[in-house]
Amino acid sequence: MRTSDREPRPDFPPPAPAPPPLRLLVADDNPVVRAGLTALLSDRPDTTVVAEATDGREAYEAALRHRPDVVLLDVRMPGVDGISALPHLARLAPVMMLTYSHETRTVREALRLGAGGYLVHGEFTTEQLVRAVRDVREGRPHVTPGAARALLTDLSEDAPAHDIEQAAPEVPDFSAKSLSHLQRCVGQSFRRRFRLSTREAEIMDLIASGMTNQQIAAACFISEKTVKNHINRIFAKLHSTTRSQAAAKWLGVS
């Protein structure tokens, strides 16, 4: 067939350009967590960290300057804590709590004050974190199982026993599809591969939160020597030689 006899090729439109990465602000007083999240989220084509903050005041000032798409906010920080800063930040950008705190009162207060999501460290993978950030940006609430359990406990305690059946439909829908998906995933949490005992996991959480051996001993009602013994076993299981290395692996940011 001659070239002139060929069918003309359709004039397809050019592919749509990739959307710009989501611009994030990370507010956490723990330098290991902050650095890990920044490295993790800036090394992707769909997210980037435009600013960091160590407390609520810094977070608010950074949000005013950089106008991020989403703020990732810790609860407990020195100076102005996350809960105090939350209503001010929520007026500037969607806020997702990203924290160790899953106490019922804290979760309830954060959502009441305008948080669009509540993620507890250790209950999500990197992909789930990015998906949650996008959901919150689009106005779809997102919570991990620890926060969901706190809410359900709170609701069951508030409801009279004879009203529980009727009250069930009134439970807020914090993205039911996402909740069920994350609850299935929590049983397969990446932490399981470390094979830490319940006590070791508790101590590792405290290490990652920045506590010293003395503080951990007081919190767990054990001696500092026992804490050190636990830490030696934890480091061996996490193949780490320092607290920073262990915390980064435990949080899934290394």
Side-chain angles (χ1 to χ4, degrees):
M1 181 183 292
R2 294 176 300 175
T3 305
S4 58
D5 294 332
R6 293 176 182 168
E7 290 288 333
R9 294 184 178 180
D11 187 16
F12 290 115
L22 282 180
R23 303 172 68 256
L24 308 176
L25 163 60
V26 175
D28 196 303
D29 65 309
N30 188 322
V32 174
V33 175
R34 198 170 62 249
L37 286 170
T38 298
L40 185 73
L41 295 169
S42 293
D43 195 34
R44 298 176 56 95
D46 49 357
T47 55
T48 187
V49 175
V50 296
E52 299 178 32
T54 61
D55 71 356
R57 186 181 300 280
E58 282 187 14
Y60 181 73
E61 292 171 353
L64 283 174
R65 286 196 306 272
H66 297 278
R67 296 292 174 171
D69 295 314
V70 178
V71 177
L72 306 183
L73 184 65
D74 188 20
V75 170
R76 294 193 178 96
M77 295 182 288
V80 179
D81 62 45
I83 296 297
S84 299
L86 174 55
H88 306 285
L89 287 166
R91 288 196 285 266
L92 302 176
V95 178
M96 183 166 68
M97 309 308 292
L98 188 60
T99 179
Y100 272 109
S101 306
H102 53 77
E103 293 87 352
T104 300
R105 184 176 179 181
T106 302
V107 177
R108 181 180 182 180
E109 186 70 359
L111 295 173
R112 186 185 71 80
L113 291 174
Y118 201 109
L119 272 61
V120 178
H121 283 300
E123 296 188 346
F124 55 85
T125 64
T126 301
E127 292 305 320
Q128 287 168 345
L129 170 60
V130 173
R131 190 183 311 122
V133 168
R134 289 202 170 278
D135 281 347
V136 168
R137 176 69 177 87
E138 298 299 323
R140 294 187 294 270
H142 219 293
V143 297
T144 49
R149 283 193 297 272
L151 288 170
L152 293 173
T153 299
D154 186 45
L155 287 166
S156 64
E157 288 175 352
D158 287 347
H162 64 278
D163 286 342
I164 289 177
E165 199 169 312
Q166 291 85 346
E170 302 298 322
V171 177
D173 179 17
F174 294 103
S175 186
K177 185 176 179 181
S178 297
L179 269 177
S180 62
H181 174 74
L182 285 176
Q183 285 179 350
R184 288 195 303 271
C185 290
V186 75
Q188 305 162 4
S189 170
F190 70 92
R191 289 186 175 188
R192 285 196 170 187
R193 73 177 187 267
F194 298 127
R195 300 183 180 280
L196 268 59
S197 68
T198 301
R199 174 62 97 179
E200 288 167 352
E202 178 185 6
I203 289 174
M204 190 59 240
D205 277 336
L206 298 177
I207 292 172
S209 71
M211 281 193 178
T212 65
N213 287 1
Q214 185 177 16
Q215 291 170 328
I216 293 171
C220 296
F221 299 99
I222 56 178
S223 69
E224 283 191 63
K225 182 178 179 181
T226 301
V227 172
K228 290 177 183 177
N229 290 338
H230 280 303
I231 290 175
N232 288 336
R233 288 193 291 272
I234 290 168
F235 281 8
K237 292 180 179 180
L238 268 62
H239 303 290
S240 301
T241 57
T242 67
R243 297 170 90 91
S244 296
Q245 287 177 359
K249 287 185 178 181
W250 187 241
L251 295 173
V253 295
S254 67

